[in-house]
Structure formats: structure tokens, C-alpha cells
């Protein structure tokens, strides 16, 4: 701490640089003894600055590597979970939102899913009590984005909204960062994943990479749920036809056949 009555008598400043890029500055000062720093002092400080800059750069690289490993581990876990047998779209939603929140720490996440003309869902997960007005604004924004990307218009009346985990007070805050990515399979857009944050510029290239990976995995999982449901329906139909055919062929009585 430098008091107001104290004045710097001597000072040296050396840039902290790594591969010709300045990442900081180190400064040393003398307040009491009016001695000038020497060339030897400058050389020692330069040597220290070089070592400090390398250490800081290595620490930053190590921190990024650790963060990347955590991301990849979580992505691997969620991918394995999504590759298991999932029978409902809501299961996919819960897995994706939990993973996104763990990796990126988001304030709001929603998934818009178009299933048919009169069967569409907007699942929302947030730790806050979102006002109805904000829900409507987000809903309309997502519907407009979805229409622009897919040429499919969803009527708000045909959209079911399910909000989860709304507990904490919002206190009049507004979302400053908004990101929406399409759910695409074979070139067809059938939904959107949206995440929002109260902080400005909350998403960067690294977070976009993670989100894109999870969204692509989610798109395939949603499609698998649809295929599984169709296969289950087809199996049920074929089983019924088989049982009916077996029962009908077991009698020659015309009245019983017609009744069956």
C-alpha cells in the first residue's frame, strides 16, 4: 500500500511477454531510499519477468486443458446416457439441460420441439420464477426463429409449455445473452435449443463448441425416441393382427368368425 505522502523514488517496469505477445507488466518501486536501479537490477528483473511470463502462460494452458477435459468427460457421459434406450422426449430434455448447466452454468434453458401440427412442446428449466410476460416473449422469439429456419409455423395455441425448477426470485433482471441452436436430422429442422444468461457476452467460442456438440447429440436422441415410438406402435399392430388371425383360424363357425 502506498500512502499519499510517499513518493516513488525509483521504478522499473518490464513487460511479461510470451512468444512476442505481452500478457502483463511487472513493476518494482523504491519509495524511501533515493537510489536508482542499476543495469544489473534491470537484467535480473528481465530474467525474472521471462520466467514469470512462462509460468503464467503454462498455468493458463493447464487451466484450459483441465476445463476441456471436464467438458469432454461430461460430453462422453451424456452421450452414453443418450445412446441408451430412452422412450420419452422429456428424458432427453432433462439430460441435456443438466449437462449444459453443469458445464456452462446457465440461468435459463428451453427446448422447443415440433412433433406434429397440433402437438408441440416448449420445455423450460430455470432456477427462477420467470414472469409470464418474459415466458411469452421467449416463446414468441423461439417460434419466429423456428419458422425462419424450418418454414414450419407453430401456432401458440398448439404449443404446450412445461416449466421446471422455478424457485428463486428473479428481482426484475433481464437476460443479456441469448443463444438458440437448431435441432437438425438429415437436413430437417424439428426444434430449437435455447440458453440464456443474465450476464453480457456469457457465451464464447468454447461454450458454443460444447453446446453445439450436445445439441447435435440431442437431435439424434430425439429422433431415436420418435423411431422407437413408431417401432413400438408397429409391433403392437402386428401382434394384434397375429393374435386376431390365429383366433379366427381356430374356428370354422361363421358367426364366431364375424364376431371376432
Amino acid at each position: 500500500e502506498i500512502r499519499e505522502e510517499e513518493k516513488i523514488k525509483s521504478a522499473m517496469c518490464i513487460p511479461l511477454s510470451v512468444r512476442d505477445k505481452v500478457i502483463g507488466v511487472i513493476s518494482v518501486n523504491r519509495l524511501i531510499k533515493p537510489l536508482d536501479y542499476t543495469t544489473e537490477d534491470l537484467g535480473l528483473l528481465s530474467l525474472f519477468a521471462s520466467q514469470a511470463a512462462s509460468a503464467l502462460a503454462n498455468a493458463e494452458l493447464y487451466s484450459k486443458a483441465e476445463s476441456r477435459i471436464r467438458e469432454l468427460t461430461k460430453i462422453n457421459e451424456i452421450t452414453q446416457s443418450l445412446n441408451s434406450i430412452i422412450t420419452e422426449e422429456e428424458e432427453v430434455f432433462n439430460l441435456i439441460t443438466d449437462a449444459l448447466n453443469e458445464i456452462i452454468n446457465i440461468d435459463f434453458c428451453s427446448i422447443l420441439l415440433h412433433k406434429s401440427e397440433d402437438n408441440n412442446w416448449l420445455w423450460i428449466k430455470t432456477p427462477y420464477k420467470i414472469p409470464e410476460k418474459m415466458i411469452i416473449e421467449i416463446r414468441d422469439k423461439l417460434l419466429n426463429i423456428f419458422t425462419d429456419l424450418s418454414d414450419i409455423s407453430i401456432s401458440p395455441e398448439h404449443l404446450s409449455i412445461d416449466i421446471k425448477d422455478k424457485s428463486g426470485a428473479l428481482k426484475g433482471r433481464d437476460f443479456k445473452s441469448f443463444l438458440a441452436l437448431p435441432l437438425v436430422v438429415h437436413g430437417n429442422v424439428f426444434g430449437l435449443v435455447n440458453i440464456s444468461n443474465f450476464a453480457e457476452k456469457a457465451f464464447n467460442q468454447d461454450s458454443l463448441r460444447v453446446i453445439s456438440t450436445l445439441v447435435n447429440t440431442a437431435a439424434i436422441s430425439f429422433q431415436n425416441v420418435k423411431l422407437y415410438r413408431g417401432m413400438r406402435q408397429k409391433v403392437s399392430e402386428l401382434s394384434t393382427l397375429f393374435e386376431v388371425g390365429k383366433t379366427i383360424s381356430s374356428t370354422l363357425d361363421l358367426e364366431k368368425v364375424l364376431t371376432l
Side-chain angles (χ1 to χ4, degrees), residues 11 15 44 51 59 69 107 125 133 150 156 178 200 222 225 251:
L44 288 172
Q51 294 174 338
I69 288 172
D107 293 314
K125 200 164 191 176
K133 180 182 178 182
S150 66
F178 184 94
E200 293 184 0
F222 279 123
V225 170
T251 179

Side-chain angles (χ1 to χ4, degrees), residues 18-19 23 52-62:
V18 178
R19 289 186 289 273
I23 62 172
S54 297
L56 289 170
N58 289 337
E60 184 180 7
L61 289 173
Y62 182 77

Side-chain angles (χ1 to χ4, degrees), residues 104-123:
I104 303 175
N105 190 25
I106 55 182
D107 293 314
F108 181 94
C109 182
S110 65
I111 291 183
L112 170 68
L113 198 65
H114 170 64
K115 298 171 72 174
S116 64
E117 185 176 341
D118 57 353
N119 185 13
N120 306 284
W121 280 91
L122 178 61
W123 285 294

